[in-house]
Structures are given as structure tokens and as C-alpha cells.
Amino acid sequence: MGRGRLDLLYLHNPEHGAHGDRSRLLERITQAFTIFEEAAHQGDIAGYGIATWSGFTSGAFTVQDLVTAARRAAGSTRTHLRAIQLPVNLIELTPIAQALHGAGPVAEAAGAGLEVWASAPLSGGELIDLVTSDLAEFIRPGSSQVAATLAVVASTPGLTGALLSASTAAHWQEALNAFQRPAIQLPHLQDICRVLRA
């Protein structure tokens, strides 16, 4: 990669292949975190985290499980565990709805001082076709479907940011503008979640 030090290294989808053996999974996560702690002490990485698609929703692990694993790996309460990454979008709505009530992995990770990154904020582009102009207008009047969709993600309490790709400079600017606008107010976010769950 041409870099002497990585800012953040993710353990990617550790729940895959766990076959329901939660204790074995947590043991494997702790082993990986031990290697990451060593890499951090050697100056190879600044921090590490978990990138998961279904780890939190399936109950494979919790934020507290990860904090505990990191402390065991470090042999201390001072660890290099820095972030979690999980899908947050209008299809994967549960993390947003939970965060609005100070619960779920987004709120728990933020409360533990971790960064929280949303993956797939447009659900791999699927939401571009699913969000109607009427829904976009309800979410944020005057916004495009993409901007309205990203506005909900950007307004999720406790979220650090989102990981997304853009095919053109105009798409990038539209996404950037959506994240730079003021957050959607909490009562309206709750209304949005109610409408989408109906």
C-alpha cells in the first residue's frame, strides 16, 4: 500500500464461518485483537476495529463483547480498538431506529468512545431506484432521492460517518452536500422510521 502505518485496520466479517459457536467466535476475535495490539505497539497500525455485515444483528457479538476482547488482548483497559463498521441505510433501518432511542450497536459503540462507520449507505445503489420522489420529499423537502437517503444516514445519532463510492465528481459532491447539511431533527427521523417500517 506504500504506507508505513495504517490508520485503521478492520477485522472483516468474523461472524462468517462461526456456525453458531459464539464462544469460539469470541475466542478467535480475541486472538485477532491480540495480533492487532502487537501491530499497534510496533507502530504498524494506529488502531483497529470490526467491519461486519451481520455480526450485531445476528447476535454473534455485541459492542461490549468487542471491548472485552480488546481488553483481554491488550491485558489492559487501554486498547487500540477504535471503530466498528456496519450497514446503516433505509433497508438496514434497525441500527438507525435503535440509535434514536440511545440503544443498539451505534449508540453502544459511540458510548464506548469508538468511531462508528456506516457501510452501504445506499445499499449498493439499490436505494437509488427504491426511494421515490415522494419519499425523498417527505424525508427532506427539495432533496434528490440520493441526497434524502444519505441525509437519514448522516443524521443518525452516534454515527461518525459513512463509507461510499461515487462514480462521478457530481455524485461525490451530492453525497458530500448531504453530509454537510444540518441533521434531520430527531422527531422527524422517528417519523421517517415509522413510515418506512409501515
Side-chain angles (χ1 to χ4, degrees), residues 7 16 21-24 28 41 52 55 59 68 70 81 86 92 105 115 120 126-127 133 147-148 166 170 180 193:
D7 296 327
H16 290 185
D21 188 343
R22 195 168 183 279
S23 61
R24 175 69 182 132
R28 288 173 53 210
H41 287 293
T52 180
T68 300
L81 177 64
L86 71 163
E92 302 287 342
E115 295 178 6
E126 186 180 0
L127 284 165
S133 56
Q180 288 179 334
C193 287

Side-chain angles (χ1 to χ4, degrees), residues 123-141:
S123 192
E126 186 180 0
L127 284 165
I128 295 170
D129 295 324
L130 292 178
V131 174
T132 65
S133 56
D134 287 343
L135 178 56
E137 188 67 18
F138 171 69
I139 291 171
R140 178 163 266 169

Side-chain angles (χ1 to χ4, degrees), residues 8-9 28 33 35 45 53-54 68 94 104 114 131 135 137 153-154 161 166 180 189-191 195:
L8 186 60
L9 176 65
R28 288 173 53 210
F33 283 4
I35 294 168
I45 63 173
W53 191 258
S54 62
T68 300
T94 300
L114 302 177
V131 174
L135 178 56
E137 188 67 18
V153 175
Q180 288 179 334
L189 272 176
Q190 291 171 333
D191 289 342
V195 165

